[in-house]
Amino acid sequence: MIAEVIINSNVRNLNRVFDYNINEEMLPQITIGSRVLVPFGNTKKLEEGFVIGLKETSPFEVKEIAQVEKEQYLDEHKIQLAKWIAKRYFCNIADAIKLFLPPGKITKKIENRIKEKCIQCVFLKKDAEEIEEAIETKQIKSEKQIRILRFLLENEGVTTSDLSVYADASKAVIKTLEKNGFLEIQEKNIDRNPITDREIEKTSNLQFTKEQEEAYQEVAKNIEEESYTSFLLMGVTGSGKTEIYLQLIQKVLEKGKSALVLVPEISLTPQMIYRFASRFGKEKIAILHSKLSVGERYDEWRRIQRKEASIVIGARSAIFAPISNLGIIIIDEEHDSSYQSEMSPRYDAKEIAEYLAKENHIPCVLGSATPSINSFYQTKTGEKTLLVLNKRANHAPLPEVEIVDLRKELANGNRSMFSSRLQEEIAKTLKQKKQTILFLNRRGYSTFIMCRDCGYVAKCKNCNISLTYHAKTNKLKCHYCGFETDCIITCPECGSKKVRYFGTGTQKVEAEVHKLFPEATTIRMDVDTVSQKNSHEKILEAFQKEKIDILIGTQMVVKGHHFPDVTLVGVMAADSSLHMEDYRANERTFDLLVQVAGRAGREGNIPGKVIVQTYNTDSYSIVYAKDQDYLSFYEMEQTIRQSLKYPPFCDIIVLVVSSEKKELAQEVIQKLEKEIRPSLEQLENTYVYSPMPAPIDRIKNKYRFRMIIKCNFGDTIIDTLGNCLEKNKNAKAQIAVYRNPNNMI
Ligand code: ADP
Ligand code: ZN
Ligand code: ZN
């Protein structure tokens, strides 16, 4: 018997099947999906590979499989899906297969760890500042020690074996750090459950409203009949979508099956998990998301695999969890852009969900208050079934939204970022002892710094994009590569001292709040303040428990939290998302505004108020968001997209070629163009644009060229591009293919 083996490598050249002989002894153990070690090339070292096919004979002279792992993570279905992913998202089969493997590289070390009953976890004994100081003062000099401490800052409580796998820490280095008082090692039991240990009160099913009942019944019918349908459940925040999910899951569990719930990473809060745990008990639930330590993720993965958990809640990658007997897939906030991976494999979790739902003959439910234009379009073409909840289940009224024209403010001599209306409302809310959320679409203190005399803008030397000023560290930072440099006071081009900061960040808003309302307490939440594990949750908890007057934050404040005392939401500048170089700018703006408005007066008895400040008062995304009028917004947006040939009417493929050598990158992209243009141009509805330098023409010292193809993505395009990439797999430049990317990079 011959096994077709894919070598576990991301080298493009090795993305093909190699034949190996299976000896008599191994024959009973090897199936499609087996993980094997095989001799490869001229080295003595064995390479890891995956069996993706079996056949009787091979035309080649073949070597023999050396070893087979007992533990099997893959089966024929998963291999099939991995092949589909590799083809559809243009990646190596090995990379697609790895999506299904347990978190972390499988190495001998991890395999051994499984057998340990008790494990050793490493905790820091000093906080971040003390550690940074020790590094700065050269108290710690060794690169290795620094790396381990920094790794621990992000992943406290990892096991010693994880630490050696991921931070390359030897026992000796860990011992030294322990001896010098930087860390301690604790013994822990191996079944760690990331759901907090707080008391969980049991809740039971709520009596559905008529709308909820109708939506529920439609999906329940599919569960009963074991048939596939893709549903779009549209309902404003508070309309009772989650309650429907809970009861659908219950039905699935009663049939002895499991459920998968995907939510955006930042919505996966303890509050949210608690709602599921309080209905089903925490033992039944497994959580998968990137904030968990590697060890925790591994444990959760194992619990799913051993069928101990029948409800899996997770972010995007949980779609690959080893769930058996799947009964329903639910994707909440389906409009969220995080369901599409920006790193290779650039898969779309919603597409994978549809694939799995079809394969398992089960329903797939996508829920949102503001469905993506794509999903809503599919309800018109019949690919999806629309379910609508028009009313709020808890009868809380929708907040009143007021639009303020910032151009008029300026004309009236108000140069502050706060319009007079917003100032009035903040003052009123402070008086009522209620809370305010101020939302803005940015991060950092200012977006960029510029010389007012000569126009010089400080840019990253690796990426050619403007550096962002961070007030806390007084540094300029590149958000693409992390490059950091001291802040400039004089212009390096002309020597002028008139270097100014432009743009508005959370820190600047906070500073101005303190000026206008010295008595108000404030708290900030943005990417900089939440980088440590859990601090996202800590900030929100502090805001609520300590009754802080004003929360100032970026995108993150928008996601599903209940703040009964928030009666005012101020949107500082609604337009900032309108100026993105992205065909979805209006969609993003509409989503954000509707969601942010949903934060005001959700349950309180004082009606909520939302003030939206903008320079574009008549932009349709802002006008329709004011009335939460999704349908009118959709009609407008679809007309525009149809005429401009944007998704869902056309797909946008972006080919990016990058290399440290500019000429090489250019040469390769021109070659690709030459090869694909003739065959693509024969297709209907397909436009091939000439290669150009990418908008960000350099990232991490690599020059970037891009080429755009507008087309109807499907088998023909997949084959043409796939063949072209195959032909050029030896090219010295990197080639990446993006489909409808979230940023037009
Ligand atoms: P969504 O997920 O659409 O935001 P939720 O399911 O969270 O909505 O419901 C919003 C609030 O209304 C929650 O506090 C929930 O407990 C309550 N709720 C949901 N359905 C009902 C119902 N049928 N009767 C009473 N309250 C309900
Ligand atoms: Zn200058
Ligand atoms: Zn950079």
Side-chain angles (χ1 to χ4, degrees):
M1 199 68 147
I2 300 291
E4 295 180 320
V5 173
I6 289 278
I7 301 293
N8 184 4
S9 158
N10 51 17
V11 175
R12 231 181 302 155
N13 221 335
L14 295 182
N15 187 30
R16 61 189 182 89
V17 164
F18 294 91
D19 289 352
Y20 283 92
N21 192 33
I22 308 172
N23 67 31
E24 288 293 317
E25 204 180 315
M26 265 181 215
L27 203 52
Q29 292 173 51
I30 290 186
T31 59
I32 291 180
S34 292
R35 209 155 57 88
V36 293
L37 293 176
V38 292
F40 190 77
N42 296 325
T43 59
K44 283 220 177 91
K45 204 178 135 230
L46 296 174
E47 288 290 334
E48 184 179 68
F50 307 97
V51 177
I52 71 158
L54 296 169
K55 57 189 178 189
E56 287 303 326
T57 55
S58 168
F60 306 107
E61 195 184 316
V62 295
K63 294 178 185 168
E64 203 158 86
I65 290 177
Q67 272 180 51
V68 54
E69 293 295 328
K70 283 200 198 72
E71 178 90 39
Q72 179 134 358
Y73 300 109
L74 303 155
D75 58 21
E76 208 166 338
H77 293 287
K78 286 180 179 161
I79 294 290
Q80 211 51 44
L81 176 51
K83 283 185 185 168
W84 185 83
I85 288 171
K87 198 164 175 215
R88 191 171 178 84
Y89 305 107
F90 307 101
C91 68
N92 278 3
I93 296 179
D95 288 331
I97 286 176
K98 275 190 254 176
L99 295 167
F100 296 93
L101 299 181
K105 272 184 297 187
I106 326 172
T107 63
K108 274 271 163 312
K109 286 177 193 167
I110 290 189
E111 293 286 354
N112 287 337
R113 214 200 59 184
I114 301 164
K115 292 174 203 116
E116 296 167 19
K117 282 235 169 55
C118 195
I119 47 170
Q120 295 186 316
C121 295
V122 186
F123 291 87
L124 287 170
K125 284 186 81 176
K126 296 196 187 289
D127 65 21
E129 265 170 37
E130 290 171 311
I131 288 171
E132 289 306 328
E133 202 189 303
I135 296 172
E136 236 162 71
T137 57
K138 300 260 170 359
Q139 191 191 337
I140 308 175
K141 279 184 290 224
S142 131
E143 285 288 328
K144 261 197 179 154
Q145 295 185 12
I146 294 175
R147 189 174 56 231
I148 292 166
L149 290 174
R150 293 226 163 108
F151 183 84
L152 282 170
L153 280 172
E154 304 257 317
N155 301 283
E156 227 190 321
V158 296
T159 61
T160 43
S161 29
D162 276 353
L163 203 56
S164 73
V165 176
Y166 296 99
D168 200 16
S170 67
K171 278 214 171 84
V173 184
I174 299 176
K175 272 267 154 336
T176 313
L177 283 169
E178 190 186 16
K179 204 178 74 201
N180 293 342
F182 283 95
L183 47 84
E184 63 184 343
I185 297 170
Q186 292 174 10
E187 300 269 313
K188 252 185 146 190
N189 260 335
I190 129 162
D191 256 350
R192 287 155 294 170
N193 192 327
I195 301 176
T196 42
D197 288 328
R198 64 169 149 171
E199 285 291 304
I200 293 184
E201 252 173 71
K202 189 108 181 84
T203 61
S204 46
N205 291 351
L206 297 172
Q207 178 76 40
F208 276 145
T209 62
K210 190 160 164 288
E211 279 182 338
Q212 280 175 317
E213 179 68 28
E214 281 170 13
Y216 169 84
Q217 286 303 345
E218 280 243 22
V219 186
K221 207 167 73 198
N222 275 259
I223 297 174
E224 210 49 65
E225 292 169 353
E226 307 199 351
S227 64
Y228 160 78
T229 303
S230 178
F231 292 99
L232 177 62
L233 175 60
M234 175 164 114
V236 291
T237 17
S239 59
K241 296 185 294 297
T242 310
E243 183 61 31
I244 297 180
Y245 303 155
L246 290 169
Q247 298 198 30
L248 285 171
I249 291 171
Q250 182 173 2
K251 186 168 180 70
V252 164
L253 296 189
E254 279 162 9
K255 293 190 77 80
K257 294 188 173 186
S258 340
L260 171 63
V261 183
L262 296 189
V263 294
E265 183 91 42
I266 63 179
S267 308
L268 202 55
T269 57
Q271 236 178 38
M272 190 261 157
I273 295 163
Y274 186 82
R275 274 190 80 181
F276 286 81
S278 61
R279 190 68 57 92
F280 301 109
K282 68 177 179 183
E283 319 72 46
K284 281 212 186 69
I285 297 173
I287 312 288
L288 289 171
H289 69 96
S290 67
K291 283 276 170 66
L292 299 176
S293 70
V294 196
E296 282 172 323
R297 251 182 295 155
Y298 185 80
D299 289 349
E300 291 295 88
W301 197 93
R302 275 296 196 174
R303 288 181 54 231
I304 301 166
Q305 197 201 25
R306 288 195 230 110
K307 305 191 181 74
E308 289 167 16
S310 46
I311 303 167
V312 178
I313 307 175
R316 178 179 66 219
S317 62
I319 193 74
F320 300 109
I323 310 171
S324 37
N325 210 1
L326 197 56
I328 192 168
I329 302 176
I330 293 163
I331 302 187
D332 195 27
E333 301 199 53
E334 67 87 24
H335 60 277
D336 197 278
S337 59
S338 70
Y339 289 120
Q340 188 169 345
S341 169
E342 288 183 2
M343 284 182 314
S344 180
R346 293 184 188 84
Y347 66 89
D348 180 341
K350 284 192 277 180
E351 287 182 351
I352 314 269
E354 304 283 344
Y355 178 108
L356 289 172
K358 263 182 217 160
E359 185 179 49
N360 289 286
H361 311 287
I362 57 170
C364 179
V365 181
L366 308 187
S368 176
T370 53
S372 64
I373 297 292
N374 256 348
S375 296
F376 200 80
Y377 175 73
Q378 289 180 339
T379 66
K380 308 228 156 183
T381 59
E383 288 162 81
K384 282 190 169 49
T385 303
L386 182 64
L387 308 169
V388 184
L389 304 175
N390 282 310
K391 302 190 194 72
R392 279 186 152 181
N394 53 5
H395 304 293
L398 285 171
E400 189 198 328
V401 182
E402 189 178 317
I403 296 178
V404 173
D405 190 340
L406 285 175
R407 288 167 303 190
K408 283 194 188 143
E409 293 291 318
L410 209 58
N412 292 338
N414 177 5
R415 296 186 154 269
S416 110
M417 334 176 227
F418 292 86
S419 61
S420 39
R421 278 296 294 128
L422 184 53
Q423 291 185 28
E424 277 165 36
E425 288 296 329
I426 294 176
K428 197 166 118 193
T429 311
L430 285 171
K431 219 174 182 174
Q432 290 171 332
K433 302 241 173 305
K434 292 288 171 186
Q435 293 178 299
T436 298
I437 292 178
L438 294 177
F439 167 71
L440 83 172
N441 225 338
R442 296 251 184 86
R443 64 176 213 182
Y445 190 83
S446 329
T447 28
F448 61 101
I449 79 171
M450 187 170 95
C451 167
R452 287 200 153 175
D453 279 335
C454 76
Y456 165 84
V457 172
K459 287 189 168 178
C460 172
K461 62 182 171 80
N462 308 321
C463 306
N464 202 25
I465 62 158
S466 7
L467 293 169
T468 302
Y469 176 61
H470 286 247
K472 197 170 161 192
T473 50
N474 196 29
K475 290 243 153 98
L476 295 171
K477 205 168 171 178
C478 171
H479 283 172
Y480 279 84
C481 74
F483 168 77
E484 214 180 65
T485 179
D486 286 335
C487 193
I488 53 168
I489 306 159
T490 43
C491 171
E493 293 280 311
C494 74
S496 160
K497 296 244 188 266
K498 286 194 190 135
V499 178
R500 293 287 179 272
Y501 310 112
F502 286 83
T504 304
T506 48
Q507 298 181 16
K508 210 162 162 183
V509 172
E510 189 177 41
E512 193 149 338
V513 167
H514 286 159
K515 242 193 262 160
L516 290 169
F517 307 100
E519 73 283 12
T521 51
T522 58
I523 190 166
R524 258 185 333 114
M525 177 154 91
D526 53 32
V527 183
D528 298 322
T529 52
V530 302
S531 46
Q532 276 159 318
K533 188 176 166 183
N534 284 335
S535 66
H536 177 254
E537 201 51 35
K538 277 186 204 144
I539 291 171
L540 294 176
E541 225 180 87
F543 175 57
Q544 185 156 11
K545 284 211 181 114
E546 296 164 25
K547 304 208 187 312
I548 290 168
D549 297 319
I550 302 175
L551 168 67
I552 301 158
T554 53
Q555 264 75 339
M556 297 174 187
V557 301
V558 181
K559 300 290 175 180
H561 302 278
H562 297 247
F563 294 120
D565 280 333
V566 171
T567 55
L568 175 64
V569 171
V571 179
M572 298 306 295
D575 330 68
S576 35
S577 55
L578 277 179
H579 301 308
M580 296 187 303
E581 201 217 350
D582 184 354
Y583 67 93
R584 276 171 292 206
N586 276 298
E587 186 178 350
R588 293 267 165 77
T589 306
F590 182 84
D591 290 352
L592 273 173
L593 291 181
V594 169
Q595 296 227 359
V596 101
R599 299 294 115 225
R602 269 191 67 150
E603 292 168 303
N605 39 12
I606 298 182
K609 178 103 194 167
V610 181
I611 305 253
V612 176
Q613 306 192 128
T614 172
Y615 291 97
N616 298 271
T617 44
D618 26 70
S619 155
Y620 65 97
S621 51
I622 292 174
V623 173
Y624 290 133
K626 172 179 170 2
D627 302 324
Q628 306 235 345
D629 185 355
Y630 180 83
L631 293 180
S632 302
F633 172 74
Y634 174 83
E635 287 304 326
M636 186 73 173
E637 185 69 17
Q638 97 143 48
T639 314
I640 293 173
R641 293 212 190 166
Q642 192 154 22
S643 66
L644 294 176
K645 297 219 170 354
Y646 279 134
F649 301 96
C650 208
D651 289 292
I652 301 177
I653 312 275
V654 185
L655 267 173
V656 177
V657 176
S658 55
S659 162
E660 282 173 13
K661 298 195 190 95
K662 192 172 176 180
E663 297 72 31
L664 181 68
Q666 193 164 13
E667 216 172 87
V668 171
I669 201 156
Q670 280 166 350
K671 181 159 180 280
L672 296 182
E673 183 199 9
K674 232 190 245 148
E675 285 174 23
I676 48 178
R677 186 182 280 281
S679 48
L680 289 187
E681 272 182 344
Q682 286 170 19
L683 302 174
E684 234 176 282
N685 214 5
T686 302
Y687 309 83
V688 181
Y689 295 79
S690 298
M692 287 211 293
I696 301 168
D697 57 5
R698 209 156 26 115
I699 293 184
K700 295 184 191 165
N701 270 329
K702 285 198 169 135
Y703 291 88
R704 313 169 75 242
F705 285 83
R706 81 164 187 202
M707 183 175 146
I708 291 177
I709 302 159
K710 281 192 181 176
C711 61
N712 292 108
F713 190 75
D715 290 341
T716 323
I717 299 283
I718 293 176
D719 287 343
T720 312
L721 282 178
N723 288 339
C724 173
L725 294 179
E726 176 67 25
K727 256 203 328 223
N728 288 284
K729 66 185 177 189
N730 291 324
K732 291 274 185 307
Q734 271 176 0
I735 307 173
V737 184
Y738 301 80
R739 173 158 51 99
N740 304 328
N742 284 321
N743 296 304
M744 295 303 285
I745 39 173

